[in-house]
Structures are given as structure tokens and as C-alpha cells.
Amino acid sequence: MIEQPKNFGFGEDETMLRDSAKKFFSDHCSADKLHRQVAGNPDIHRNIECIWDKGLWQQITELGWTAACVPEAAGGIGMPLVAALALAEEAGRAAFPSPLISTFNTTFVLRECNSAAANDVLAEIAGGKPMSLAITNQQGSWEPTDTDVSIDKGQLNGTAWFVQDARKAEGLVVSARSAAGVGLYYVAADAAGVAIAADGIIDLTRDQAHISFTGVTAVEVAAPGAGDVALAYALPAIQAVIAADMVGAGEWLLQTTVEYANTRVQFDRPLGFFQAVKHPLVNVMLDIDRAKSLAYSAACAIDSDPERQEWANTVKLAHMAKANASDMAVFASSRAVQFHGGIGFTWECYVHLFFKRQMHNQMLFGDARYHRAILADMLIGQAA
Amino acid sequence: MADADRKDTQEQAEFRAYCRDWLTNNKPGQPPVRIPLGALELSDPAALQWLQVWQKSAFDAGLVGCDYPVEAGGGGRNNCQTIANQEMQRAKTPFFPNIIGLGMAAPTVLFHAQEDTKNALLPRLFSGEDIWCQGFSEPGAGSDLANQQTFAEKRGDSWVINGHKVWTSLAHFANWMILLCRTDKADKYNGLSYFVVPIQTAIGKGVTVRPLIKLTGETGFNEVIFEDLVVEDKYRLDAVGAGWKVAMTTLSHERGAGQLVTPSAGGMTQDNTKGANTSSPSALIELAKTSYRNGKTAADDPLLRDEIIKIMIRQEAFRQNQRRALVPALIDHPMRIPLQNKLIGTEFNQDLAEIAYDIQGAASSLYLNDENAPGGGEWQLAYMNSFGVTIAAGANEVQRNILGERVLGMPKSK
């Protein structure tokens, strides 16, 4: 059995990085400011916008966040995955509109490609270039082998769907099929033949698009037949990092709702006196703690086992983390709206920003039922 | 719980090797009588006696009280009880019968008893030669524990105790009781004091123990009546009026949030029952693969599969929570995880056994007295018994108040 550090590998460097992220978000990203930034237009039929602060992105790249999980050999800092989780957790707590999670996810995929071309892209990420993955088909399949994009004679054709932070990303890693299997390809977001069609989404802290490729010349980062393998190896890290985002957002929802329950008076008492409010909020806390422990354990399992000797256990922990975090995200959001009462149902209350981010997150890379179905096949065996 | 994959200190590693070696040669064989699910269900004296022999052998080998001071009968080690516990679980030993002594009385006595009392009582507690019970609950003091009416009156150098305790597990076997009672009627919290009381020698002389029958049909807990019982002052723990503070030491350990790790063994399955280990999801999966509901294999039912996985996720999360609780950088409040443990552990067992009901379909109607009951009917028994612990030690509703108030900082619900 692989020896894992008792502290999940979360040492002094990781703590310092996380604390600097806490400070960054408290200095620059209050919920009040976020609301003014992204919630200016409540119109359901509003134009589809992509709102983010490129200046803040510049700052976080200078703080080394995008370089954190890029291997040193590719010009990064080579920190463990738990460091990325801490950053994602803080970003979630601030519902930070940025391509940080997409760029992390792209990093995790490129790290599994083991090619010079992939390392070149990783170096650009370390330098601060935002990236995203274009790997999902129109049917919303999370399986690495499914894609609606094809590659032939070095040119991409087809459409990738549900691409996250698509209009913030400057580069895309695209999964595409040829007769030899699924490969991965890098294209600049502004390359000729790339058409980004923004999706009208609920989450105000993100942008999403479907992207059409028409005869796009692309750089191969993983060969046909190796692309889906690289994706499969990256999925546990992706699931863990999204779970961490949900943990951070869940904690914001919890603490904000507790604060409201402690100050809002009805029947001559603060709401929090009533166990009908108090006990479900405790249940939210229990759920957040489960999700957090599972996410860090999954990340630590990945960090501790580079040879993948206990890969099945790692995969299991990551599925568990994403499943638990997805359910928690829904629960924490729904209780936050409900316990804010009438004000919680309004646009002016900040809760909806986090509610919508959580509902988006819970679906990304598979919701709870999706992951539990996979776990059932792994742990119980296939059903007859 | 597979905690052996975490790095041990050198002392822990050496002790682990010692425990593993000792257990290989000294783990008890199959018991001559049916051993119930846990110590709180003990009603057969023969089962108790067999388990006491096991506890004493483990104590003599140094696997019980590892982190307690040597002069109190302990091993004087650092963070080694957890190692012994892991190894005993790994070896699938029987459980220890003196569960209240080990989990609640021992830390309370260590932190609050007078020196001589401490050193006299703890070795026989660790060895299981003395069985302990807990005199906290009363007819009018359940969740509202501080509403104690049992009264201790100072007469000369001694105390005279009158009152009525209920839901007292193991009192029918116990030599000693930890007793919370009132010494001042004017002050609810500061009017409480705490004693250790030799009850077995006083039966018929001021102490009456009467069995209460549980909803399962088992005995195992009791009511205890005190009528002018005289107790020496050396058995008082901490100051007169400090009983609530002492009780918090007991309760924090009872709820798995104390300073000392409780010596704990277990994991044994028995050949002379049908072998159900009703606290394990893997046993639940085995049950699902061999059970039929509505004529079909339960393990193929997609909704049941989802329920099984949900509870497995909770089990893994509990395990990882314990690990994270020791990493200050990854926790927001030092008591946030420890105070969850009682709640999470007891609801886990309850929900696990409830799924077992659904898995068994029509056969979930069968009980221990039916030879066709899957798993010997133990799952049904476990489900019913699970309510004992979701109610005891501060009902889980009280636990949620504590978490909401102490950890989240919400207003008190009283």
C-alpha cells in the first residue's frame, strides 16, 4: 500500500499559497463588488455577456497560480494537486469569475499527454495564458472517448459543446476522433476556422459556449488513441478541483446564511434559535466537511501515487468527492435561499450568485448520480 | 478502517509490529456462546465472562490504556492506542465488554479523580475485571441532562445518595458507576457534583438494579435506585459543584471528541451465527448479492445500488474527516469535526441497517428466532438497536444544537 502523508501533503508552502489567496479575494472580490460586476442586468433575455476582470487575472498569474501545478520541467512550480484544490476552494468561496478552473483542468490533461507539444502549451499556462478544454459532445457525455469533432489530415472539423470559460480562454485543447482513435489537439482560440458561439447560461460567474471548428489546423498534443487515455487519467484531478470550488462556495453559503439567521428576528427571536433552521444548517456543514475531506483525500491519492499503483482507489475517491460535493452544492444552495426567506428570493440578495454557480458546478463533469452509478459498477459489480 | 497506509512515528511503527505479532498468536478463537453486536447488548453472563478474559489478556499484553500514565495502569506511550485499535480491528478480534469504563469513566477518572482513587481504579477498569456503568440519565433528565434530581447530601465525611437513574446500560453487571447528581438545589448547573460509586457491593444495601427491556426484546439496560446509599468522600471527582464540568469530560469522550482515544477492539464475525457484520458496507453488498426482493437479486436494483453507494461515500468521508481533523491548516474550527462524530457514526449505522431492510424484501420480516432470516436476522436487530445510540449520549437533536451553537455560533435553542 502506498504511504500517504497524514496531512494530505498540505504543508507550509500550500498553506502560504492558500492564505495569500484568501487575502487576495478578501482584498479584491467581495460579494458586494461581485454583484455590481456581474449582476447588472437581470433581464432574462439579456445579451449573452462574458464579464470578468482581466486585471485580476494578470495579478493571479503573477502570484503563480496558473504555474502552481505545471511541472517544473515545463516551466512551472510543480506543486502538488492539493495546492490547486486550495486555490479552487478560495475561488469558489469568492465565486470568482475567471478561467482559473478551466486552466487548471487543461493543465491536468496536458500533464498526462507526455509530449513536447503538450509541454510547450503547459509553459504558456505557467506564463499566465488562460486555457480551456473542448472535449464534450452535444449530448453532454463526460466519457473521454465521446467527441463530435473529427481530425483528418491535421485539420479539425465539428463542434465541441459545453466549453467552459470559452470566451476567456486564449487556447483550447480539443478532443477529436480519427480512424486511429481519439487524440488531443491544441488550437489558439482566435485561429482561423474557430467559431465561438456563446451559450445563454444561468451562472453569472462563468461563460460557456459551443465551438465549431471548420478546417482548423491544430497541433497534436496526444496522438490518436492516446487522447482519451490522457483524459481518463486527468479526470480524477478535474473532479477533485471542481469539488473544491463547490466546497468553497458551499462554505460561503453556509456562513452567510448563519449570519443572516443570527440577525434576522421573527417571533421575537433570531431565526437561528429555531431548530427548523439550525439543524438543516448543521446538516449543510456536515455535507461540506464530507466533500472537503473526500476532495483532499482524492488529490492526495493522486499526488502520492505517480506510478498509479493504486489507481482504482484514486478513481474511487475522486468519484466520491465529486458525487458528495455535487449533492452538497445543491443542498447548501437551496437552504441558503430558503433560510434567507423573501429576500433570498430576490435578485438583490447575493445568494443567487453562489446558488447559480453551485448548480452549474454540480453538473460539470458529471452530477452525483452519474458518479454513483460508476461507483456502483466498481464497488458492487455490474448489474445483471 | 484502512488507516495503516498513513505514516507512523517510530514509536507507533514499533508498537504496531508488536501488536500485530501478539494478535497473531493470541487472538481468541470462536466463542462458546452467542456474542451480541456490542457491549451494550450484553445480557448473558457467559458471554460477558468470555469477553472479560479477552479484555484482560489484551490489557496484560499492553493493548489497553496504551496512552495512560504507567502509575495508573497504562502503557505511558504516545498516540499508540489508535495503533492498537487499528490492529485489533484488522485482526477481527472480539469487542471489549467494559465499553463505558474505557470510553467514559477512564478519561474522567484520570483527569478529575484524587490520585489514590485514580491509581486504585484504573488498572482493574482497563483489564475489564471491573465493569463500569454510567449514572447520568434520569426520568426527568434525558436531553436536558443538567436537570438532575438524584441528590447527594453531605453527612460527616461521607455522602448520602438518594435518587433514580434510568437507561443504565450494563448496570446489571457493573461493579462501578460514574454518577452525576445534585448537591445544591438552588443552582441548576453549579449545583451538580460527580462521584464514582461502587454499586455492586451495595446491591440490597441502598442500591437496587432492575432490568428494562428494550424494544428489541433484549435486556442490557436498567434502572438503578439509590436509597440512602453512603459513599466515601474520596470517591468525589473534582470539587463539590464542579459536576457539570466533569460531565463534559465524560461526554466529550463519549461523543468521540475527547483528548484520549478510547481503547476499542472488534470486527469479529462468528461462525455460530450466520456471520452478519452489521456495521460494514461490504457485508451489506454481500447481503444484496444473496438477497431477493420482488423475486429479483437486490444487488441489481438501481435504486438500491445508489443507496449502497451513498452510504459507502459517507463511510469513506468519515474516515477522511478523522484524518483531516488532525491537519490544522485544513480545518476552520478545532471542534468542528470532533463534535460531528457521534452524530455521523450513529446515523451511519442506522441508515446502513435500514438499507438492509430494503435489500431483504419480504425476508426483512424475519427475526433472530427464524432459521430462514438472512444474516441470522442480525440486520433487523441492528436497525432496532441503532436507535439506542442515536438517542443516548445526548440525542442527535441535541448534538445538532451543540454543533449549531458551538461551531456555527448560532443562538441557543433554549
Side-chain angles (χ1 to χ4, degrees):
Chain A
M1 191 167 283
I2 301 280
E3 284 212 351
Q4 292 190 16
K6 285 188 179 180
N7 68 351
F8 300 91
F10 201 84
E12 278 179 35
D13 290 350
E14 291 74 23
T15 305
M16 272 174 58
L17 182 71
R18 194 266 316 273
D19 292 347
S20 75
K22 267 190 197 296
K23 178 164 187 332
F24 176 86
F25 287 119
S26 80
D27 287 351
H28 301 293
C29 305
S30 67
D32 176 60
K33 186 177 160 198
L34 176 68
H35 201 265
R36 277 184 277 121
Q37 180 191 4
V38 301
N41 185 3
D43 185 356
I44 288 175
H45 301 292
R46 65 186 174 268
N47 286 327
I48 302 169
E49 293 176 282
C50 171
I51 303 170
W52 64 307
D53 185 336
K54 285 186 187 167
L56 289 180
W57 177 259
Q58 185 68 31
Q59 288 186 42
I60 66 173
T61 60
E62 284 162 12
L63 288 168
W65 294 8
T66 59
C69 289
V70 171
E72 286 178 274
I77 305 173
M79 290 184 82
L81 181 57
V82 290
L85 256 65
L87 294 173
E89 194 183 334
E90 296 309 319
R93 198 190 307 270
F96 184 45
S98 84
L100 182 66
I101 306 294
S102 303
T103 303
F104 279 151
N105 291 346
T106 311
T107 305
F108 304 147
V109 171
L110 290 167
R111 287 198 317 195
E112 303 300 339
C113 291
N114 302 312
S115 67
N119 282 356
D120 291 345
V121 184
L122 281 168
E124 295 202 59
I125 290 176
K129 197 164 173 180
M131 304 272 181
S132 192
L133 296 171
I135 57 169
T136 311
N137 68 9
Q138 189 170 12
Q139 296 177 332
S141 167
W142 307 112
E143 303 303 323
T145 47
D146 289 340
T147 172
D148 292 344
V149 181
S150 62
I151 178 99
D152 187 34
K153 301 188 182 77
Q155 293 201 322
L156 295 173
N157 283 290
T159 304
W161 295 79
F162 308 107
V163 179
Q164 302 305 304
D165 301 308
R167 287 192 284 168
K168 305 184 192 94
E170 293 174 22
L172 300 165
V173 169
V174 186
S175 68
R177 178 170 291 284
S178 67
V182 171
L184 293 173
Y185 304 89
Y186 176 75
V187 295
D190 59 359
V194 175
I196 299 178
D199 298 343
I201 62 169
I202 301 164
D203 184 357
L204 297 162
T205 68
R206 278 200 178 80
D207 80 283
Q208 180 182 290
H210 49 288
I211 304 182
S212 299
F213 303 91
T214 312
V216 176
T217 306
V219 177
E220 180 186 288
V221 292
D228 55 318
V229 176
L231 284 176
Y233 282 147
L235 278 177
I238 292 173
Q239 290 152 5
V241 95
I242 297 172
D245 187 304
M246 287 190 276
V247 166
E251 191 69 27
W252 185 92
L253 286 160
L254 173 65
Q255 297 301 340
T256 304
T257 308
V258 164
E259 203 178 300
Y260 185 74
N262 285 352
T263 47
R264 166 76 173 167
V265 173
Q266 289 284 275
F267 305 106
D268 304 321
R269 303 209 187 246
L271 290 183
F273 165 85
F274 298 102
Q275 291 162 333
V277 173
K278 179 183 286 175
H279 289 188
L281 286 174
V282 167
N283 290 343
V284 169
M285 174 173 76
L286 303 181
D287 225 0
I288 291 171
D289 281 322
R290 279 192 275 268
K292 182 166 177 170
S293 296
L294 287 168
Y296 280 88
S297 73
C300 179
I302 295 167
D303 287 331
S304 307
D305 187 16
E307 307 295 323
R308 296 196 193 93
Q309 295 172 50
E310 294 170 8
W311 186 240
N313 185 53
T314 301
V315 168
K316 178 192 85 172
L317 287 170
H319 283 304
M320 286 183 164
K322 182 62 173 65
N324 199 133
S326 290
D327 274 350
M328 175 277 288
V330 176
F331 184 47
S333 311
S334 89
R335 291 311 84 193
V337 171
Q338 180 71 22
F339 295 151
H340 275 77
I343 189 73
F345 191 56
T346 67
W347 186 271
E348 69 178 277
C349 176
Y350 305 152
V351 165
H352 74 100
L353 300 174
F354 290 81
F355 175 99
K356 292 166 184 174
R357 186 180 177 99
Q358 291 291 61
M359 295 309 286
H360 192 97
N361 267 330
Q362 64 94 17
M363 155 287 292
L364 273 186
F365 288 91
D367 60 19
R369 286 191 182 85
Y370 165 82
H371 289 285
R372 288 199 300 264
I374 294 172
L375 286 164
D377 288 347
M378 287 175 66
L379 302 175
I380 303 173
Q382 298 273 341
Chain B
M1 308 224 164
D3 276 357
D5 56 341
R6 321 281 179 243
K7 278 180 188 156
D8 289 336
T9 64
Q10 192 184 343
E11 182 186 6
Q12 286 176 322
E14 288 168 6
F15 187 61
R16 186 187 296 283
Y18 164 77
C19 291
R20 195 168 292 191
D21 182 56
W22 184 82
L23 285 161
T24 306
N25 299 315
N26 296 284
K27 182 193 141 185
Q30 285 298 315
V33 290
R34 177 181 177 274
I35 302 297
L37 187 63
L40 299 185
E41 280 80 54
L42 275 170
S43 54
D44 175 4
L48 172 68
Q49 198 182 17
W50 186 79
L51 290 166
Q52 280 178 300
V53 169
W54 148 239
Q55 184 173 331
K56 176 137 192 338
S57 72
F59 169 69
D60 290 340
L63 273 60
V64 181
C66 313
D67 302 331
Y68 279 73
V70 174
E71 56 274 20
R77 298 178 183 275
N78 297 303
N79 301 316
C80 280
Q81 188 63 56
T82 188
I83 303 298
N85 292 356
Q86 286 165 11
E87 291 303 317
M88 289 188 283
Q89 283 285 339
R90 185 178 176 276
K92 298 193 190 308
T93 68
F95 56 79
F96 291 142
N98 193 21
I99 179 173
I100 293 168
L102 294 170
M104 290 170 255
T108 312
V109 166
L110 179 76
F111 291 125
H112 301 283
Q114 299 161 36
E115 209 63 30
D116 291 350
T117 305
K118 194 185 301 185
N119 298 341
L121 296 179
L122 285 177
R124 289 177 59 84
L125 182 160
F126 292 136
S127 72
E129 289 163 283
D130 285 345
I131 298 293
W132 285 67
C133 65
Q134 178 192 23
F136 276 30
S137 292
E138 296 185 2
S143 290
D144 184 7
L145 180 63
N147 189 36
Q148 294 286 318
Q149 302 301 316
T150 295
F151 196 78
E153 187 190 353
K154 190 83 187 278
R155 279 190 211 156
D157 292 337
S158 297
W159 295 84
V160 177
I161 296 173
N162 282 282
H164 186 184
K165 295 288 173 183
V166 286
W167 310 310
T168 319
S169 295
L170 293 173
H172 53 308
F173 292 133
N175 311 84
W176 287 87
M177 173 190 274
I178 43 176
L179 176 77
L180 182 64
C181 62
R182 183 157 298 289
T183 44
D184 179 358
K185 290 177 180 165
D187 189 327
K188 184 170 179 181
Y189 288 90
N190 295 316
L192 299 173
S193 297
Y194 199 118
F195 296 86
V196 291
V197 179
I199 63 164
Q200 197 167 65
T201 52
I203 285 177
K205 291 174 278 185
V207 173
T208 306
V209 177
R210 278 201 290 260
L212 294 170
I213 298 173
K214 297 192 277 189
L215 68 80
T216 60
E218 295 165 297
T219 53
F221 69 160
N222 309 271
E223 57 183 340
V224 179
I225 292 152
F226 296 105
E227 293 162 298
D228 290 330
L229 173 71
V230 178
V231 173
E232 293 174 65
D233 189 57
K234 68 176 178 183
Y235 294 138
R236 173 173 47 79
L237 266 52
D238 220 305
V240 175
W244 188 250
K245 181 184 84 178
V246 182
M248 290 307 107
T249 300
T250 311
L251 291 182
S252 67
H253 283 86
E254 178 172 20
R255 294 164 183 170
Q259 284 181 49
L260 283 159
V261 173
T262 295
S264 161
M268 178 187 68
T269 52
Q270 293 176 59
D271 295 339
N272 61 350
T273 68
K274 289 175 188 171
N277 176 357
T278 51
S279 57
S280 140
S282 52
L284 193 73
I285 291 173
E286 280 316 299
L287 184 73
K289 288 180 173 173
T290 52
S291 293
Y292 293 89
R293 44 178 278 126
N294 192 27
K296 300 189 186 80
T297 303
D300 293 339
D301 181 314
L303 298 180
L304 272 178
R305 290 163 69 83
D306 201 46
E307 291 303 318
I308 293 169
I309 296 303
K310 277 186 195 169
I311 201 131
M312 294 184 80
I313 293 173
R314 282 163 61 186
Q315 182 194 38
E316 184 64 41
F318 184 80
R319 195 180 284 166
Q320 300 298 343
N321 266 348
Q322 303 318 306
R323 183 176 169 201
R324 185 162 64 84
L326 304 175
V327 187
L330 291 177
I331 46 175
D332 299 327
H333 183 294
M335 292 310 285
R336 180 161 160 165
I337 289 173
L339 285 173
Q340 296 174 12
N341 286 345
K342 187 267 177 178
L343 183 70
I344 292 179
T346 58
E347 290 180 358
F348 170 81
N349 283 322
Q350 191 159 86
D351 294 346
L352 187 77
E354 194 199 334
I355 298 169
Y357 253 88
D358 288 355
I359 284 173
Q360 294 170 73
S364 69
S365 55
L366 306 174
Y367 202 22
L368 270 77
N369 55 352
D370 191 291
E371 62 180 18
N372 295 316
E378 296 277 354
W379 287 99
Q380 283 78 299
L381 179 67
Y383 178 62
M384 289 188 275
N385 265 325
S386 72
F387 290 90
V389 280
T390 53
I391 295 166
N396 285 4
E397 289 70 23
V398 173
Q399 302 298 324
R400 285 189 164 81
N401 280 350
I402 291 171
L403 282 160
E405 291 158 19
R406 292 198 211 154
V407 177
L408 291 177
M410 302 180 83
K412 279 185 179 271
S413 293
K414 65 183 176 192

